[in-house]
Amino acid sequence: MTQEKPEALQFEQFLRLYQNRFCHGADIYVDASTCYNSYSLIQNLGVTVCPYCDEEYLHVLESRDQKTVRTLELDHFFPKKKYPALAMCFYNLVPSGQACNGIKLEESLGMSPFEPEIESCTRLCPDLPMGVNMEAVPVEACVIHFHPRGAMNENVKTLRLEERYLRHRAQAHRYLVLKQNFDETKLQELVRLGIFPSLEQAREVLYEENAASTDQPLLQKLKHDILKF
Protein backbone atom coordinates (compact mmCIF):
# COMPACT_ATOMS: atom_id res chain seq x y z
CA MET A 1 0.00 0.00 0.00
CA THR A 2 2.87 2.40 0.74
CA GLN A 3 4.12 2.02 -2.84
CA GLU A 4 0.78 1.69 -4.64
CA LYS A 5 -1.30 4.36 -2.85
CA PRO A 6 0.93 6.69 -0.82
CA GLU A 7 -1.82 9.33 -0.97
CA ALA A 8 -3.92 7.09 1.31
CA LEU A 9 -1.32 7.52 4.07
CA GLN A 10 -1.19 11.31 4.19
CA PHE A 11 -3.49 12.06 7.15
CA GLU A 12 -1.43 13.55 9.98
CA GLN A 13 -3.30 12.68 13.19
CA PHE A 14 -0.83 9.93 14.07
CA LEU A 15 2.14 12.13 13.22
CA ARG A 16 0.90 14.80 15.64
CA LEU A 17 0.29 12.17 18.31
CA TYR A 18 3.82 10.84 17.79
CA GLN A 19 5.40 14.29 18.06
CA ASN A 20 3.30 15.70 20.90
CA ARG A 21 2.92 12.68 23.18
CA PHE A 22 4.51 9.39 22.09
CA CYS A 23 8.02 10.75 21.64
CA HIS A 24 7.88 13.83 23.86
CA GLY A 25 9.58 12.50 26.99
CA ALA A 26 9.67 9.53 29.34
CA ASP A 27 6.83 10.82 31.51
CA ILE A 28 4.41 11.89 28.76
CA TYR A 29 2.10 9.15 27.51
CA VAL A 30 -0.23 8.48 24.63
CA ASP A 31 -2.52 6.73 27.10
CA ALA A 32 -1.96 7.38 30.80
CA SER A 33 -3.82 4.20 31.79
CA THR A 34 -1.32 2.01 29.92
CA CYS A 35 1.70 4.36 30.22
CA TYR A 36 2.39 3.84 26.53
CA ASN A 37 5.07 5.93 24.88
CA SER A 38 8.39 5.50 23.09
CA TYR A 39 10.17 4.44 26.27
CA SER A 40 7.69 1.69 27.11
CA LEU A 41 7.85 0.44 23.51
CA ILE A 42 11.66 0.32 23.63
CA GLN A 43 11.57 -1.53 26.95
CA ASN A 44 9.06 -4.07 25.66
CA LEU A 45 11.01 -4.72 22.46
CA GLY A 46 14.22 -5.34 24.39
CA VAL A 47 16.46 -4.38 21.46
CA THR A 48 19.89 -3.43 22.85
CA VAL A 49 21.99 -3.32 19.66
CA CYS A 50 21.18 -1.36 16.50
CA PRO A 51 19.54 -3.85 14.10
CA TYR A 52 20.63 -1.87 11.06
CA CYS A 53 24.40 -2.01 11.68
CA ASP A 54 24.99 -4.36 14.66
CA GLU A 55 27.79 -2.08 15.88
CA GLU A 56 26.12 0.37 18.29
CA TYR A 57 24.58 -0.26 21.72
CA LEU A 58 21.15 1.18 22.49
CA HIS A 59 20.62 2.46 26.03
CA VAL A 60 17.83 3.88 28.14
CA LEU A 61 19.44 5.66 31.09
CA GLU A 62 17.37 5.82 34.26
CA SER A 63 18.30 7.54 37.51
CA ARG A 64 16.41 8.59 40.63
CA ASP A 65 17.76 12.14 40.62
CA GLN A 66 17.91 12.74 36.86
CA LYS A 67 15.37 12.49 34.08
CA THR A 68 15.24 9.32 31.98
CA VAL A 69 16.98 9.70 28.63
CA ARG A 70 17.88 7.39 25.77
CA THR A 71 20.86 7.10 23.47
CA LEU A 72 18.85 5.54 20.67
CA GLU A 73 16.39 6.78 18.09
CA LEU A 74 13.13 5.34 16.81
CA ASP A 75 13.60 5.20 13.07
CA HIS A 76 10.57 5.31 10.79
CA PHE A 77 11.30 2.64 8.20
CA PHE A 78 8.77 4.35 5.94
CA PRO A 79 9.67 8.02 6.50
CA LYS A 80 7.08 9.85 8.57
CA LYS A 81 7.19 12.98 6.41
CA LYS A 82 6.23 10.96 3.35
CA TYR A 83 3.87 8.59 5.17
CA PRO A 84 2.58 10.51 8.23
CA ALA A 85 -0.20 7.97 8.83
CA LEU A 86 2.48 5.39 9.69
CA ALA A 87 4.16 7.57 12.32
CA MET A 88 2.74 5.40 15.14
CA CYS A 89 2.65 2.05 13.33
CA PHE A 90 4.37 -0.58 15.48
CA TYR A 91 6.10 -2.29 12.55
CA ASN A 92 7.32 1.04 11.19
CA LEU A 93 9.19 1.97 14.39
CA VAL A 94 12.71 0.53 14.45
CA PRO A 95 14.95 1.12 17.50
CA SER A 96 18.21 2.26 15.94
CA GLY A 97 21.53 3.83 16.77
CA GLN A 98 22.16 7.51 16.26
CA ALA A 99 24.66 6.81 13.48
CA CYS A 100 22.22 4.84 11.32
CA ASN A 101 19.32 7.16 12.05
CA GLY A 102 21.44 10.20 11.27
CA ILE A 103 22.56 8.73 7.93
CA LYS A 104 19.16 7.40 6.89
CA LEU A 105 17.06 10.44 7.82
CA GLU A 106 14.17 10.47 5.32
CA GLU A 107 15.77 7.97 2.92
CA SER A 108 14.04 4.69 2.12
CA LEU A 109 15.67 1.32 2.71
CA GLY A 110 15.08 -2.01 1.00
CA MET A 111 14.51 -4.29 3.99
CA SER A 112 13.20 -3.77 7.50
CA PRO A 113 14.95 -5.48 10.44
CA PHE A 114 11.54 -6.97 11.27
CA GLU A 115 11.55 -9.07 8.09
CA PRO A 116 12.26 -12.70 9.10
CA GLU A 117 14.58 -13.50 6.18
CA ILE A 118 16.83 -10.45 6.57
CA GLU A 119 19.68 -12.38 8.23
CA SER A 120 20.07 -14.60 5.16
CA CYS A 121 20.31 -11.63 2.78
CA THR A 122 23.87 -10.67 3.72
CA ARG A 123 27.06 -12.63 4.34
CA LEU A 124 29.74 -10.65 6.16
CA CYS A 125 33.32 -11.71 5.42
CA PRO A 126 36.48 -10.52 3.67
CA ASP A 127 37.13 -11.80 0.15
CA LEU A 128 40.39 -13.71 0.58
CA PRO A 129 41.85 -16.60 -1.45
CA MET A 130 40.69 -20.07 -0.43
CA GLY A 131 43.13 -21.78 1.93
CA VAL A 132 45.21 -18.66 2.60
CA ASN A 133 47.34 -18.76 5.75
CA MET A 134 45.73 -16.14 7.95
CA GLU A 135 48.90 -15.77 10.01
CA ALA A 136 50.48 -14.21 6.92
CA VAL A 137 47.54 -11.95 6.03
CA PRO A 138 47.80 -8.37 7.33
CA VAL A 139 44.84 -6.89 9.19
CA GLU A 140 44.47 -4.20 6.53
CA ALA A 141 43.63 -6.88 3.95
CA CYS A 142 40.59 -8.07 5.92
CA VAL A 143 38.15 -5.64 4.33
CA ILE A 144 34.66 -6.78 5.24
CA HIS A 145 32.15 -7.18 2.41
CA PHE A 146 28.45 -7.66 3.05
CA HIS A 147 27.62 -9.61 -0.14
CA PRO A 148 24.02 -8.33 -0.03
CA ARG A 149 21.19 -9.95 -1.94
CA GLY A 150 18.07 -8.34 -3.33
CA ALA A 151 16.65 -5.43 -1.36
CA MET A 152 19.53 -5.52 1.15
CA ASN A 153 21.72 -3.85 -1.48
CA GLU A 154 19.83 -0.64 -0.72
CA ASN A 155 20.40 -0.95 3.05
CA VAL A 156 24.13 -1.56 2.68
CA LYS A 157 24.56 1.31 0.22
CA THR A 158 22.37 3.89 1.99
CA LEU A 159 23.75 3.21 5.47
CA ARG A 160 27.36 3.07 4.17
CA LEU A 161 27.86 -0.18 6.06
CA GLU A 162 30.96 -1.44 4.23
CA GLU A 163 32.71 1.89 4.75
CA ARG A 164 31.80 1.90 8.44
CA TYR A 165 32.99 -1.68 8.87
CA LEU A 166 36.51 -0.78 7.78
CA ARG A 167 37.21 -0.12 11.46
CA HIS A 168 36.36 -3.75 12.28
CA ARG A 169 39.07 -5.34 10.12
CA ALA A 170 41.07 -6.40 13.18
CA GLN A 171 38.03 -8.22 14.56
CA ALA A 172 37.46 -10.01 11.25
CA HIS A 173 41.13 -10.99 11.14
CA ARG A 174 40.90 -12.42 14.66
CA TYR A 175 37.86 -14.51 13.78
CA LEU A 176 39.52 -15.83 10.63
CA VAL A 177 42.61 -16.86 12.61
CA LEU A 178 40.36 -18.62 15.12
CA LYS A 179 38.53 -20.40 12.34
CA GLN A 180 41.83 -21.52 10.79
CA ASN A 181 43.28 -22.81 14.06
CA PHE A 182 40.09 -24.17 15.62
CA ASP A 183 37.68 -25.29 12.94
CA GLU A 184 34.82 -27.70 13.68
CA THR A 185 37.02 -30.78 13.16
CA LYS A 186 39.61 -29.43 15.59
CA LEU A 187 36.92 -28.61 18.15
CA GLN A 188 35.54 -32.15 17.90
CA GLU A 189 39.06 -33.53 18.43
CA LEU A 190 39.52 -31.38 21.54
CA VAL A 191 36.24 -32.74 22.91
CA ARG A 192 37.27 -36.33 22.07
CA LEU A 193 40.56 -35.83 23.93
CA GLY A 194 38.64 -34.63 26.98
CA ILE A 195 40.03 -31.10 26.91
CA PHE A 196 36.47 -29.78 26.71
CA PRO A 197 33.33 -31.60 27.87
CA SER A 198 31.29 -30.50 24.85
CA LEU A 199 31.39 -28.54 21.60
CA GLU A 200 29.37 -25.81 23.28
CA GLN A 201 32.00 -25.47 26.01
CA ALA A 202 34.79 -25.41 23.43
CA ARG A 203 33.05 -22.65 21.46
CA GLU A 204 32.36 -20.70 24.63
CA VAL A 205 36.05 -20.70 25.59
CA LEU A 206 37.69 -20.36 22.19
CA TYR A 207 35.08 -18.27 20.37
CA GLU A 208 33.91 -16.35 23.46
CA GLU A 209 30.38 -17.58 22.75
CA ASN A 210 28.36 -17.74 25.95
CA ALA A 211 24.98 -19.31 25.20
CA ALA A 212 23.77 -18.60 28.74
CA SER A 213 24.39 -14.86 28.52
CA THR A 214 21.37 -12.60 28.09
CA ASP A 215 23.49 -9.67 26.90
CA GLN A 216 23.64 -9.20 23.15
CA PRO A 217 27.21 -8.36 22.07
CA LEU A 218 28.11 -6.18 19.12
CA LEU A 219 29.10 -7.56 15.71
CA GLN A 220 27.38 -10.92 16.27
CA LYS A 221 26.51 -11.39 12.61
CA LEU A 222 30.10 -10.76 11.53
CA LYS A 223 31.26 -13.35 14.06
CA HIS A 224 28.67 -15.96 13.11
CA ASP A 225 29.12 -15.49 9.36
CA ILE A 226 32.88 -16.00 9.59
CA LEU A 227 32.92 -18.79 12.15
CA LYS A 228 29.75 -20.41 10.71
CA PHE A 229 28.11 -21.80 13.83
Side-chain angles (χ1 to χ4, degrees):
M1 184 174 182
T2 54
Q3 303 300 325
E4 296 173 2
K5 296 184 177 181
E7 67 277 3
L9 298 170
Q10 295 307 303
F11 55 92
E12 298 190 351
Q13 291 92 330
F14 287 118
L15 177 58
R16 290 195 294 269
L17 186 63
Y18 175 86
Q19 294 172 335
N20 297 332
R21 302 203 67 81
F22 181 76
C23 213
H24 202 59
D27 55 354
I28 298 177
Y29 306 107
V30 172
D31 180 359
S33 64
T34 59
C35 295
Y36 182 62
N37 62 12
S38 60
Y39 284 85
S40 62
L41 174 62
I42 291 165
Q43 183 179 19
N44 289 333
L45 287 174
V47 178
T48 57
V49 173
C50 178
Y52 283 133
C53 67
D54 200 31
E55 65 165 3
E56 183 178 344
Y57 281 119
L58 311 179
H59 298 290
V60 173
L61 306 176
E62 298 178 283
S63 173
R64 289 184 177 181
D65 54 353
Q66 292 180 290
K67 69 176 184 178
T68 299
V69 296
R70 53 185 168 91
T71 67
L72 65 144
E73 305 292 343
L74 278 175
D75 175 62
H76 289 80
F77 182 76
F78 294 107
K80 61 183 181 293
K81 287 185 179 179
K82 187 174 182 181
Y83 305 104
L86 298 179
M88 289 281 296
C89 176
F90 176 83
Y91 292 105
N92 196 40
L93 296 172
V94 181
S96 63
Q98 294 186 5
C100 286
N101 192 257
I103 293 172
K104 178 179 177 291
L105 296 175
E106 295 295 313
E107 296 286 330
S108 295
L109 297 178
M111 291 190 78
S112 165
F114 291 128
E115 295 185 49
E117 68 275 15
I118 191 170
E119 290 293 327
S120 64
C121 291
T122 52
R123 180 175 58 84
L124 280 61
C125 64
D127 290 334
L128 296 172
M130 185 75 70
V132 66
N133 178 11
M134 286 307 305
E135 304 287 355
V137 175
V139 168
E140 292 72 21
C142 291
V143 177
I144 300 161
H145 297 284
F146 276 64
H147 305 97
R149 294 193 296 110
M152 273 303 292
N153 279 281
E154 194 170 350
N155 290 43
V156 172
K157 180 180 179 180
T158 300
L159 297 175
R160 313 282 288 271
L161 292 176
E162 291 193 348
E163 294 174 62
R164 292 163 61 186
Y165 265 61
L166 286 172
R167 60 182 169 185
H168 302 309
R169 285 176 289 183
Q171 195 77 332
H173 185 273
R174 189 171 78 84
Y175 292 150
L176 287 164
V177 171
L178 275 174
K179 181 180 179 181
Q180 174 181 280
N181 295 336
F182 298 103
D183 61 11
E184 195 71 8
T185 300
K186 183 65 173 179
L187 293 180
Q188 291 173 356
E189 181 183 351
L190 294 174
V191 172
R192 184 179 59 81
L193 293 173
I195 297 175
F196 295 106
S198 66
L199 281 173
E200 291 73 21
Q201 182 71 25
R203 292 191 188 104
E204 181 176 333
V205 173
L206 297 172
Y207 294 168
E208 299 176 1
E209 181 71 11
N210 187 354
S213 175
T214 58
D215 295 327
Q216 182 183 351
L218 301 179
L219 304 177
Q220 273 297 89
K221 179 156 175 59
L222 173 65
K223 182 178 184 179
H224 283 211
D225 283 358
I226 291 178
L227 296 176
K228 291 182 170 61
F229 65 88

